[in-house]
């Protein structure tokens, strides 16, 4: 876990606890003595791929550094019903304060990692990589993109600041692809910005315009059929990195990979994923 990720995580945990705990966990405070100790097992309730264990450790530590956590299953591991991911021991109030935040984060991340692994597994015999998108939950993007990596996928740009991605609206507003690319290259030079330029194309006419431009690093084939992607990849002929995007499903992703594209981006990795069912089972000690 790098420092930038940890800083984002700790800020997230602070805000999440304010949202959830507020002035205090009145249920625990009113029913359980403050000094009581206990343990809880984090249990798997369905098949999947686990993500968020390292994040859970940071959450437990932030809430109460005296909590002792024994980890049995690490991030990226495949699990089945009944598996025990970890056991946390210590103050019951601290365990209960962490419970919902840990579960919410791990269930969401594990669902994304599981979905990503399903796509990645289909491309094992190809050279094509699976990419995520910016179709993420606001302020949870860093966790969701981390889950994609744990599932075997790769991250596209994190936000609007680390890549120039010229899409259809940019093209239309700029007055065409040549104008948009020229403006972007001048902007990079004027501000000393060293980030790649990618251009989305909707048809072969736009693709030929991109190939005639200087300064482009990657081209995205938007809503192309696998057959058209194959033709487009041949036309690019290694001049640019290639990416296919738009409505790609588990049923079609391998067809796109076999067309020779370098990357396939899939919004469904994060925008509509089902969380993995996990639970925290308490026990007095």
């Amino acid at each position: 876990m790098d420092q930038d990720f940890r800083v984002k995580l700790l800020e997230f945990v602070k805000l999440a606890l304010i949202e959830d705990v507020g002035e205090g966990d009145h249920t625990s405070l009113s029913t359980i003595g403050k000094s009581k100790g206990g343990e809880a097992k984090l249990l798997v309730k369905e098949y999947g791929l686990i993500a968020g264990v390292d994040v859970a450790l940071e959450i437990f530590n932030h809430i109460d550094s005296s909590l002792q956590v024994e980890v049995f299953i690490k991030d990226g591991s495949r699990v089945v019903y009944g598996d025990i991911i970890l056991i946390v021991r210590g103050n019951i109030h601290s365990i209960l304060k962490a419970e919902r935040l840990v579960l919410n984060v791990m269930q969401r991340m594990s669902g994304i990692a599981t979905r990503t692994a399903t796509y990645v597994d289909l491309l094992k015999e190809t050279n094509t990589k699976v990419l995520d998108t910016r179709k993420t939950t606001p302020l949870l993007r860093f966790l969701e993109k981390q889950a994609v990596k744990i599932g075997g996928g790769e991250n596209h740009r994190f936000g609007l600041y680390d890549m120039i991605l010229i899409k259809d609206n940019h093209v239309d507003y700029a007055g065409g692809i040549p104008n948009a690319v020229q403006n972007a290259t001048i902007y990079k030079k004027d501000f000393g910005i060293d980030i790649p330029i990618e251009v989305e194309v909707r048809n072969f006419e736009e693709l030929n315009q991109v190939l005639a431009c200087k300064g482009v690093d990657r081209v995205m084939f938007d809503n192309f059929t696998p057959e058209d992607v194959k033709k487009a990849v041949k036309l690019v002929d290694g001049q640019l990195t290639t990416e296919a995007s738009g409505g790609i499903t588990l049923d079609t992703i391998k067809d796109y990979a076999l067309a020779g594209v370098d990357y396939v981006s899939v919004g469904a990795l994060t925008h509509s994923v089902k969380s993995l069912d996990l639970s925290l089972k308490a026990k007095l000690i």
Side-chain angles (χ1 to χ4, degrees), residues 180-247:
V181 172
Q182 182 180 35
N183 291 342
T185 54
I186 292 172
Y187 178 89
K188 282 179 59 176
K189 183 178 180 181
D190 287 348
F191 290 92
I193 299 172
D194 185 19
I195 55 176
I197 295 176
E198 178 173 10
V199 183
E200 175 188 86
V201 298
R202 295 165 282 190
N203 49 56
F204 283 93
E205 180 183 352
E206 291 189 341
L207 175 57
N208 283 319
Q209 290 176 22
V210 169
L211 292 174
C213 294
K214 293 182 179 180
V216 178
D217 302 284
R218 181 185 296 188
V219 61
M220 178 194 295
F221 311 127
D222 183 47
N223 286 305
F224 278 40
T225 64
E227 293 75 20
D228 281 345
V229 166
K230 186 174 182 178
K231 295 176 185 176
V233 168
K234 186 175 181 180
L235 189 62
V236 171
D237 193 27
Q239 298 174 69
L240 305 171
T241 301
T242 57
E243 175 186 342
S245 181

Side-chain angles (χ1 to χ4, degrees), residues 102-173:
V102 166
L103 286 174
N104 284 348
V105 168
M106 287 197 62
Q107 287 179 149
R108 176 73 178 163
M109 289 184 69
S110 296
I112 291 170
T114 300
R115 171 74 65 84
T116 302
T118 303
Y119 279 90
V120 170
D121 286 347
L122 291 172
L123 304 188
K124 280 184 176 178
E125 298 175 0
T126 74
N127 294 318
T128 303
K129 305 296 183 183
V130 178
L131 287 175
D132 55 23
T133 69
R134 286 170 54 241
K135 295 177 182 178
T136 55
T137 309
L139 303 181
L140 293 185
R141 183 174 296 172
F142 76 107
L143 293 175
E144 294 178 346
K145 282 184 169 283
Q146 180 68 10
V148 167
K149 291 171 66 176
I150 291 171
E154 295 190 11
N155 295 153
H156 206 294
R157 58 177 178 164
F158 190 87
L160 295 174
Y161 58 86
D162 55 345
M163 174 185 279
I164 293 175
L165 176 46
I166 301 171
K167 297 174 72 70
D168 53 354
N169 285 339
H170 302 102
V171 169
D172 294 340
Y173 281 137

